[in-house]
Amino acid sequence: MLVAMEFDLFILNGVVVLENEVGEFDIAIKDEKIAKVVPRGGLEGMVTKKTIDAQNGCVMPGGIDSHVHLNEPFIMAGGRCADDYESGTRSAIAGGTTTIISFAPQSKNEPSLLAALKETHELADSNCYSDYSFHALCTSAGPLAISEFPALRAAGISSLKFFMAFEDLQLHDDEILDVLLAARRNQMTLLVHAENGQVISWMTKQLEKEGLFDPKWHISSHPPVAETEAASRAIALAGFIDVPILIVHVSQPAVAETIRAAKKLGLPIFAETCPQYLFLTRDDLDKPGFEGAKCVCSPPPRNASDHEGIWRGLEDGTLTVFSSDHCPFVYEDENGGKKSSISKEYPNGRFQYIPNGCPGVETRLALAFSAKRLKLQKFVEVSATYAAKMYGLYPQKGALIPGKSDADVTIWYPEDESFTLSNKMLHHNVDYTPYEGQTLNQWPRYTILRGKVVWDRDAGGVVGNKGYGKFLERGVSSLAAPLRPEHDWNARDF
Ligand code: URP
Ligand code: ZN
Ligand code: ZN
Ligand code: ZN
């Protein structure tokens, strides 16, 4: 006699966002994978251990946040980020994100990228609630770092970020060329922080000379040209070496326009934007007292009138991924790394010493989903699918493909009910959210990671366990390829 297969979980009655259509489908999960996606009612008569009734709510792949800083030392901050791998990934699942990609930062005294990777594994392994991987973070591109690219690939790290800004962190053009060429030869995806560090330093000096120290002057110290110039230079250098790049945290429509033009020329240029550039404005840095420090990040939030151009960039594919750039610092705390500027090492109240970065891993999806600005499929593409493709995780992540995709699912409520966002609701280790008081109409009801419910908003909140999150070895990007991958780059060709 044949024994009927027993599934682990059914998700019934959802409006499911698939890559080619949105519709009424039921989902069966078995052994941590999506096993079946069938028209509603199609699982009748089959056996399962557990069922979730989505009640016509939206069902989509779990969010992928491909730009998250956890437990990193920050030179400027005189401390570490406020979230470690435990609190940061707990915050991620509570907001519907099932995979994060954080950074393995090279340190000043230790030029080895592999040493940084080992150290970051020690911080993350057995501490995560979500699945996770790391981008290498290169702040000094010496011969040792460059020689380690093949070993990084063998260790499942297929992407690397570098800075064009910040003394002590930034690479100069010759080092950038070394990194671009090594990335091309090893099929690594590069993330570029495109701001001109010297423009920022020069502007900071001008402002300080005039006695302008308040948080709002951070915006003037990062003028639009610092970002437009660096983005154009990054595109030019990447074109010279013929290697794909992704420009992170794009803040201005003018930069989006430059990227759009590069794409039209057929160049493999990709880009990212973040909630700060859709939901914050320069006014948020001009709050009474030192409160504006809470929203200091780089590039800074721009004008409200710029938001439209950033949304349009996401809509038309100019901006490929929407991630949080979660870079958490407490506002009021004595343990260093704080934003409220009262520490011995750093003179009080000067914007240049405010740690750069905002928390946002938990609020990213709810902010964008509540805004109802993007079509459902576009929302899923920019918040999950494209990151999976960009960083070598697809179709294991970022999709709901039977037999191929992990059963990572976010289920939303069937109806909108407005509520006011407050930091009290959140699970990060930060004493504020930049989005305090914003009206939202959606929050993930369930987060499911590899078939297991890890967030149940109405019954228990975070119900996943620390250590369930797995390290993800990543392969090559399925979006980004050099124009001529078959040719080795050769100086004699020029
Ligand atoms: O201000 C920011 N973005 N802080 C995080 C570090 C970075 O540049 O991504
Ligand atoms: Zn230099
Ligand atoms: Zn950056
Ligand atoms: Zn960042």
Side-chain angles (χ1 to χ4, degrees):
M1 195 182 80
L2 271 175
V3 180
M5 158 132 103
E6 189 187 39
F7 292 93
D8 296 328
L9 176 64
F10 284 173
I11 301 168
L12 306 180
N13 306 318
V15 175
V16 181
V17 187
L18 301 174
E19 281 176 272
N20 305 319
E21 62 182 314
V22 178
E24 297 180 345
F25 294 99
D26 291 339
I27 297 174
I29 292 167
K30 173 87 179 157
D31 298 334
E32 304 195 358
K33 290 276 180 191
I34 300 291
K36 287 178 185 288
V37 178
V38 297
R40 193 175 283 181
L43 297 174
E44 256 164 51
M46 296 189 205
V47 186
T48 182
K49 292 190 181 119
K50 188 180 149 97
T51 298
I52 289 177
D53 183 355
Q55 298 177 314
N56 264 323
C58 261
V59 176
M60 56 182 68
I64 299 177
D65 193 339
S66 55
H67 189 156
V68 175
H69 300 270
L70 297 176
N71 210 339
E72 273 181 53
F74 270 80
I75 294 159
M76 215 176 5
R80 298 184 91 84
C81 335
D83 277 310
D84 58 14
Y85 278 85
E86 179 177 344
S87 63
T89 57
R90 187 178 65 210
S91 189
I93 59 169
T97 289
T98 47
T99 295
I100 61 134
I101 311 180
S102 57
F103 296 89
Q106 188 184 27
S107 78
K108 271 287 143 203
N109 320 319
E110 171 49 84
S112 167
L113 297 172
L114 288 172
L117 177 61
K118 182 167 176 283
E119 202 175 299
T120 308
H121 266 297
E122 281 160 15
L123 297 173
D125 296 348
S126 75
N127 285 323
C128 290
Y129 284 82
S130 70
D131 284 355
Y132 61 99
S133 183
F134 314 119
H135 305 290
L137 179 55
C138 180
T139 51
S140 170
L144 176 66
I146 295 293
S147 74
E148 290 177 329
F149 279 37
L152 286 172
R153 282 296 315 279
I157 305 300
S158 54
S159 53
L160 177 143
K161 182 183 175 185
F162 67 86
F163 292 93
M164 298 171 83
F166 306 127
E167 251 171 85
D168 293 337
L169 299 179
Q170 77 186 73
L171 304 187
H172 293 277
D173 289 354
D174 52 350
E175 293 173 285
I176 291 174
L177 290 168
D178 283 340
V179 167
L180 291 169
L181 186 54
R184 186 185 200 284
R185 291 186 167 149
N186 292 283
Q187 288 187 282
M188 305 258 297
T189 301
L190 292 172
L191 297 82
V192 185
H193 180 125
E195 286 189 291
N196 180 317
Q198 281 164 322
V199 170
I200 295 165
S201 304
W202 187 84
M203 276 303 284
T204 302
K205 280 192 203 123
Q206 306 304 309
L207 293 159
E208 289 232 326
K209 260 195 260 168
E210 293 184 40
L212 303 173
F213 300 131
D214 288 347
K216 69 173 179 183
W217 298 108
H218 169 76
I219 301 169
S220 307
S221 73
H222 289 246
V225 67
E227 191 183 2
T228 52
E229 187 281 331
S232 298
R233 178 157 42 98
I235 292 169
L237 297 180
F240 174 47
I241 303 293
D242 183 19
V243 65
I245 55 168
L246 178 133
I247 298 177
V248 290
H249 43 51
V250 169
S251 74
Q252 316 171 43
V255 176
E257 195 49 52
T258 303
I259 292 161
R260 195 174 279 123
K263 280 179 177 293
K264 277 204 186 116
L265 291 173
L267 298 174
I269 303 297
F270 300 86
E272 168 201 86
T273 195
C274 312
Q276 309 59 310
Y277 311 115
L278 295 170
F279 300 103
L280 298 179
T281 71
R282 56 193 305 135
D283 293 344
D284 289 297
L285 278 80
D286 193 13
K287 296 219 168 114
F290 212 69
E291 288 278 306
K294 291 179 176 175
C295 297
V296 163
C297 58
S298 296
R302 307 279 181 189
N303 300 315
S305 57
D306 290 328
H307 293 175
E308 176 57 27
I310 299 298
W311 281 116
R312 231 182 291 133
L314 285 170
E315 270 167 351
D316 74 6
T318 302
L319 305 176
T320 318
V321 296
F322 174 64
S323 55
S324 68
D325 193 7
H326 178 80
C327 189
F329 296 100
V330 283
Y331 181 67
E332 212 70 80
D333 191 285
E334 286 312 307
N335 298 321
K338 59 190 175 292
K339 289 207 154 217
S340 54
S341 87
I342 309 114
S343 83
K344 277 201 297 295
E345 297 93 322
Y346 300 127
N348 285 357
R350 285 164 67 183
F351 71 80
Q352 69 158 310
Y353 296 113
I354 301 168
N356 283 202
C358 296
V361 71
E362 189 168 347
T363 45
R364 174 184 71 116
L365 294 175
L367 281 166
F369 198 63
S370 293
K372 294 194 162 48
R373 174 60 209 256
L374 300 174
K375 294 205 170 109
L376 273 175
Q377 278 168 306
K378 181 52 77 177
F379 172 73
V380 172
E381 282 168 358
V382 299
S383 62
T385 316
Y386 287 163
K389 291 185 173 175
M390 193 73 213
Y391 298 118
L393 287 170
Y394 182 88
Q396 182 190 351
K397 300 293 188 186
L400 301 172
I401 303 174
K404 292 192 172 154
S405 302
D406 284 355
D408 298 349
V409 184
T410 303
I411 305 176
W412 300 78
Y413 285 90
E415 272 140 33
D416 297 343
E417 218 174 286
S418 289
F419 63 94
T420 304
L421 180 66
S422 147
N423 194 53
K424 287 198 288 287
M425 301 167 46
L426 303 179
H427 300 76
H428 57 194
N429 188 28
V430 188
D431 54 356
Y432 78 96
T433 166
Y435 310 104
E436 185 77 32
Q438 293 230 15
T439 303
L440 301 184
N441 55 55
Q442 271 286 9
W443 193 269
R445 182 178 185 182
Y446 298 98
T447 307
I448 295 165
L449 173 59
R450 286 180 278 105
K452 185 172 149 47
V453 175
V454 292
W455 164 252
D456 181 341
R457 193 180 182 210
D458 298 330
V462 173
V463 291
N465 299 316
K466 178 176 120 165
Y468 180 65
K470 271 209 270 208
F471 174 69
L472 301 167
E473 287 192 18
R474 295 181 290 113
V476 296
S477 176
S478 51
L479 282 187
L483 290 179
R484 301 173 301 138
E486 70 284 4
H487 289 113
D488 191 15
W489 193 95
N490 192 325
R492 280 168 299 191
D493 295 343
F494 291 85

